[in-house]
Amino acid sequence: MNILSFLASLDGNLLLWIQENLRSEFLTPLFQFITTSGNAGLIWIAVTCFLLAFKKTRRTGIACALALIFSLLFTNLLIKPLVARIRPYDLIEGLQILISKPRDFSFPSGHSSASFAAAWVMFRMLPKKAGIPALVYAFLMAFSRLYFGVHYPSDVLGGILLGMLYAIAAMRVLELLGQKLQK
């Protein structure tokens, strides 16, 4: 077995393990709320608008907005169609999804990308009492995609890493613009 086959097998087995060992009547409504709040990045857009509304947090809001725009452009409009990875529920025998089937491709996870794009900015730019809950929510959002069987673990990991990269890029763009405006 080559490394790619091994990783694909690991991806599928992890999803089946989550299905068999972690799904419960108690957790399903909680994760359904979390995953739905991330549809189209709604929760992160709402938080970004809130941050933009106040002078004290406006800079963070601008960085979040940039990071979310990067996530939309690169993850959803560029990478997903290029990679065109089929969703796990279409390939893994016995995997049952508990939410409606997403209409786009699987890699990388858009929910994870947007979540970590905004949450990483908040973690880096806001006091920890706001940044840490944002990261926790982003992790729960990413896990919800596995819980429902709509993404492979590697999709979620890719989305997390890309989201963090977008956050770093957004903060850097803001820093460079700030330096240019001061000259």
Side-chain angles (χ1 to χ4, degrees):
M1 179 184 285
N2 68 30
I3 189 75
L4 290 178
S5 296
F6 171 76
L7 291 175
S9 175
L10 182 63
D11 251 359
N13 288 334
L14 280 169
L15 286 177
L16 290 171
W17 186 87
I18 289 168
Q19 176 177 281
E20 298 304 317
N21 296 287
L22 298 181
R23 284 185 182 174
S24 72
E25 289 182 27
F26 172 75
L27 290 177
T28 298
L30 172 69
F31 282 120
Q32 192 158 24
F33 171 80
I34 291 169
T35 211
T36 301
S37 74
N39 290 350
L42 287 178
I43 186 72
W44 304 109
I45 293 168
V47 169
T48 298
C49 289
F50 178 81
L51 293 169
L52 288 167
F54 301 97
K55 187 173 183 177
K56 187 176 181 179
T57 57
R58 192 162 294 138
R59 187 171 173 81
T60 304
I62 292 168
C64 282
L66 278 173
L68 287 170
I69 290 168
F70 293 159
S71 180
L72 171 67
L73 293 176
F74 294 107
T75 294
N76 293 62
L77 300 179
L78 181 68
I79 299 171
K80 274 185 183 254
L82 280 175
V83 174
R85 188 177 195 188
I86 304 299
R87 295 276 179 169
Y89 52 78
D90 286 329
L91 297 176
I92 299 172
E93 190 174 322
L95 183 64
Q96 300 167 358
I97 64 167
L98 302 176
I99 58 174
S100 58
K101 292 180 177 183
R103 288 179 252 136
D104 59 352
F105 290 110
S106 194
F107 182 88
S109 165
H111 279 69
S112 301
S113 176
S115 294
F116 277 85
W120 193 250
V121 166
M122 288 186 259
F123 179 72
R124 298 300 310 233
M125 295 182 73
L126 294 175
K128 296 304 178 223
K129 67 182 179 184
I132 290 173
L135 270 184
V136 169
Y137 199 79
F139 273 109
L140 291 172
M141 178 81 64
F143 180 76
S144 76
R145 307 309 285 168
L146 302 174
Y147 185 88
F148 290 116
V150 295
H151 280 292
Y152 293 98
S154 56
D155 299 339
V156 168
L157 181 60
I160 289 170
L161 295 174
L162 285 169
M164 291 172 74
L165 179 68
Y166 303 144
I168 292 165
M171 290 182 288
R172 184 69 180 134
V173 165
L174 204 57
E175 183 183 312
L176 291 172
L177 286 175
Q179 289 172 1
K180 292 232 185 247
L181 293 175
Q182 289 176 356
K183 289 182 180 181

